[in-house]
Amino acid sequence: IQRVSKAVEYIHNNLDQPVSVEELAGLVHMSRSAFFDKFKDVMHSSPLQYAKSVKLHHAQVLIQQGKKANEAGYLVGYNSPAQFSREYKRHFGYSPSSTAAGRWRSPSAPTPRGFSVTSSGTKPGSRCSSRPSTRGTPTAIAGASRRG
C-alpha cells in the first residue's frame, strides 16, 4: 500500500503534468504490470482513470472558486479547451460552463486526500480514501492532450 500511496501522492502533486503507468511504476520501483494490478486492487480504479478523476475534480473546485473553465483545464494539464470540456462533461454529466454558472454542483465537495465520504460524513484513514468515480471515464489520462 505504501507504493500505491507514493504514486497517489505524486498524482496529486503534479496535476498539471501528464502521467503514465510506466512513469508511476518506475517511481515506486515496480514493473508496469505489477504496479497496475496493485494500484487497481488498492484504489479500485486504474492509475490513469484515477489520475483523470483527480484532475477533473480539482478543475471542478477551481471553477466553483471562480476560475474560467479554460484556465482550470490548463491548470490540471489540458492544453485543449475542447478536450477538457468533453472529458469534464463525460465525467460529471454536465459541462464546465454549467458548473461556473452554478447550475450544477456535485452532491458534496471533492473529498480531501486521506478521507472518504460515508453516510455519516467524512472518516479519516479509510482504506478506500480518495476513491474516484469511474463513471464514463475512458482509460486515457487527462494529460494525454498535452503530448504532441
Side-chain angles (χ1 to χ4, degrees):
I1 293 179
Q2 288 178 336
R3 291 179 178 188
V4 171
S5 178
K6 185 175 181 180
V8 166
E9 183 178 351
Y10 179 85
I11 290 167
H12 282 269
N13 290 333
N14 294 281
L15 293 176
D16 64 332
Q17 298 298 312
V19 67
S20 69
V21 175
E22 292 81 9
E23 177 184 15
L24 294 172
L27 179 73
V28 298
H29 310 291
M30 294 177 75
S31 73
R32 182 187 189 286
S33 60
F35 171 74
F36 184 91
D37 291 343
K38 182 55 117 174
F39 192 99
K40 194 160 186 175
D41 182 50
V42 172
M43 299 304 292
H44 307 285
S45 176
S46 77
L48 299 183
Q49 287 172 325
Y50 178 81
K52 177 182 276 192
S53 180
V54 168
K55 288 172 182 257
L56 291 171
H57 277 94
H58 186 69
Q60 182 182 53
V61 169
L62 292 172
I63 293 166
Q64 289 170 341
Q65 292 174 345
K67 294 272 189 220
K68 292 185 179 186
N70 292 349
E71 184 179 2
Y74 178 76
L75 290 171
V76 297
Y78 287 87
N79 283 337
S80 166
Q83 182 71 19
F84 170 69
S85 184
R86 248 190 325 273
E87 292 188 16
Y88 188 101
K89 187 168 185 175
R90 188 178 299 133
H91 185 79
F92 292 111
Y94 49 87
S95 68
S97 60
S98 292
T99 301
R103 292 189 298 258
W104 293 95
R105 296 239 183 234
S106 58
S108 64
T111 307
R113 290 179 292 198
F115 289 80
S116 64
V117 176
T118 64
S119 59
S120 61
T122 56
K123 178 173 81 175
S126 170
R127 189 166 170 224
C128 294
S129 63
S130 301
R131 182 176 172 191
S133 163
T134 56
R135 181 179 165 265
T137 56
T139 57
I141 183 65
S145 64
R146 297 187 86 191
R147 296 184 191 136

